[in-house]
Amino acid sequence: MSTSRTPSKTPASALVNFPLVVLITLISEAVANALLIQVFGADLGSISQRPQGLSQLAWLGGWKMLQLWVGWHTGSFDATEIAHFSLLIHFPQAYLLYNFYSVPILPLLAYVSIPTLSSYTAFSFFPRVASSPTSESSEDESLLTTLTTTLLASTLYALPLGFSLATWLPTHLAVHFTTLRTLELAHAATFVGIVLALLPAGYATQRLLFRPCISSFASTDIVPVEAFDAEAATFAETLVYNLKNLLFWRALPPQGREVIKRTALIAVWITAQTAFVAWATLDGFEHQHKARWGQEVEGIADSAAGLMGWAGVWGIGSVLSGVILGWVGNAW
């Protein structure tokens, strides 16, 4: 099978489609979140910031539009992959709320499902690409492969998270997240339990990072390697050739380049999303939203270090997943 990601619309219609994707997503999430608050207000309200008015809505809405823009302009995610991407970047906040804020499972399932389903719906109606090779490769992937690579991805996320929970992370969160309710689950966590808890994130990562390894790409995706006479070349010429062709893009198959691009995107965005959502929604950080230049700088820097410490654990897990899943899938 040889397929290539195919744009579903012309550039002119794409200019119209993206605003429609944003509109559908924002409206559907606003309605769903309003219902979520009505049903689970007692569970979520006590750990959330008090409404900050239009400024808070502007922060959250702007961030959501940026997330959609990133998903839209990657050029390789179809609706299913956007759903997996959304699930993955929202999962760390759900893990935090369950293990450190004692929020029950049911509202957390709703919390993760709302953006996942809204993004899938919007990109289904107005897709950036009709389909991607990774989505069309499912027929080439056995159930055993799916299960084992999902478990592997979960384990790769559990390595930095489990190590952090066993060493520095509980103290770090207790210092910087001033409204934590409990550390009992963190101290009682076992590695196997962490791996099992991370299976949803592992599955989403498997879909996004392992699927490109077994996907077929069109020949136009292949960058030819230039001819090189190693015997006649000088040391400097050999070094330049190696840097140009062996260490970077030209030496990699299309699948490898796709895995690297996706790994970089996921690692950066899961880190940014995890830090931003905690800052923008959790009780204890709202006093910083109105800080002005020269005021509370030390407190803001301290909170930023706290947020990035927690979020960085997930970024490291994403990089590990990309490297190992790419290796398992012979992407390099």
Side-chain angles (χ1 to χ4, degrees):
M1 178 178 61
S2 179
T3 59
S4 178
R5 61 182 73 93
T6 305
S8 63
K9 303 291 181 182
T10 64
S13 61
L15 294 176
V16 177
N17 285 349
F18 178 67
L20 291 174
V21 165
V22 173
L23 185 63
I24 290 174
T25 304
L26 291 179
I27 291 176
S28 60
E29 288 195 22
V31 172
N33 284 323
L35 294 173
L36 179 66
I37 292 174
Q38 291 294 322
V39 177
F40 300 109
D43 296 314
L44 299 175
S46 59
I47 55 97
S48 301
Q49 296 173 14
R50 295 180 180 179
Q52 302 295 311
L54 293 179
S55 61
Q56 186 181 37
L57 291 177
W59 276 110
L60 295 173
W63 187 260
K64 186 64 184 183
M65 286 188 283
L66 178 61
Q67 176 190 327
L68 292 171
W69 184 89
V70 168
W72 181 268
H73 287 282
T74 58
S76 63
F77 285 169
D78 61 14
T80 301
E81 291 171 325
I82 282 290
H84 291 136
F85 180 68
S86 181
L87 185 158
L88 181 58
I89 64 175
H90 286 87
F91 187 85
Q93 181 75 354
Y95 189 93
L96 177 72
L97 295 181
Y98 179 78
N99 286 279
F100 297 97
Y101 286 87
S102 302
V103 177
I105 287 288
L106 197 55
L108 294 179
L109 289 175
Y111 164 79
V112 173
S113 299
I114 288 170
T116 300
L117 294 176
S118 66
S119 299
Y120 175 80
T121 301
F123 276 79
S124 294
F125 281 115
F126 303 100
R128 176 68 173 85
V129 294
S131 63
S132 73
T134 58
S135 292
E136 296 173 0
S137 65
S138 58
E139 62 191 56
D140 301 323
E141 182 180 342
S142 67
L143 177 60
L144 179 60
T145 300
T146 300
L147 293 176
T148 54
T149 50
T150 295
L151 183 61
L152 175 61
S154 302
T155 303
L156 293 169
Y157 274 106
L159 286 173
L161 181 58
F163 174 79
S164 300
L165 288 174
T167 53
W168 61 273
L169 188 57
T171 301
H172 178 86
L173 292 177
V175 170
H176 297 286
F177 289 63
T178 57
T179 57
L180 288 187
R181 289 182 173 179
T182 181
L183 292 173
E184 291 182 9
L185 292 178
H187 288 304
T190 64
F191 186 74
V192 173
I194 295 172
V195 171
L196 295 177
L198 295 179
L199 283 176
Y203 179 75
T205 302
Q206 191 270 353
R207 299 287 89 179
L208 293 170
L209 296 182
F210 182 74
R211 276 290 183 85
C213 301
I214 59 173
S215 301
S216 299
F217 288 74
S219 59
T220 55
D221 289 333
I222 300 174
V223 180
V225 178
E226 62 189 56
F228 179 72
D229 187 351
E231 295 182 357
T234 65
F235 174 78
E237 291 172 338
T238 302
L239 180 62
V240 170
Y241 173 83
N242 288 337
L243 291 176
K244 284 179 58 180
N245 300 304
L246 297 182
L247 300 181
F248 299 107
W249 269 174
R250 288 180 182 270
L252 292 171
Q255 291 86 346
R257 296 198 302 273
E258 184 70 14
V259 171
I260 288 177
K261 289 188 292 184
R262 290 184 175 210
T263 299
L265 172 66
I266 291 170
V268 170
W269 199 254
I270 198 172
T271 302
Q273 171 79 8
T274 301
F276 175 82
V277 172
W279 173 80
T281 62
L282 287 180
D283 186 27
F285 292 101
E286 66 273 15
H287 66 284
Q288 299 169 17
H289 297 178
K290 297 182 180 179
R292 291 178 171 80
W293 181 257
Q295 300 176 355
E296 303 182 24
V297 174
E298 183 178 351
I300 293 174
D302 183 65
S303 292
L307 291 166
M308 292 307 296
W310 163 245
V313 172
W314 297 91
I316 293 171
S318 299
V319 173
L320 282 175
S321 298
V323 172
I324 301 301
L325 288 175
W327 175 70
V328 171
N330 294 319
W332 34 74

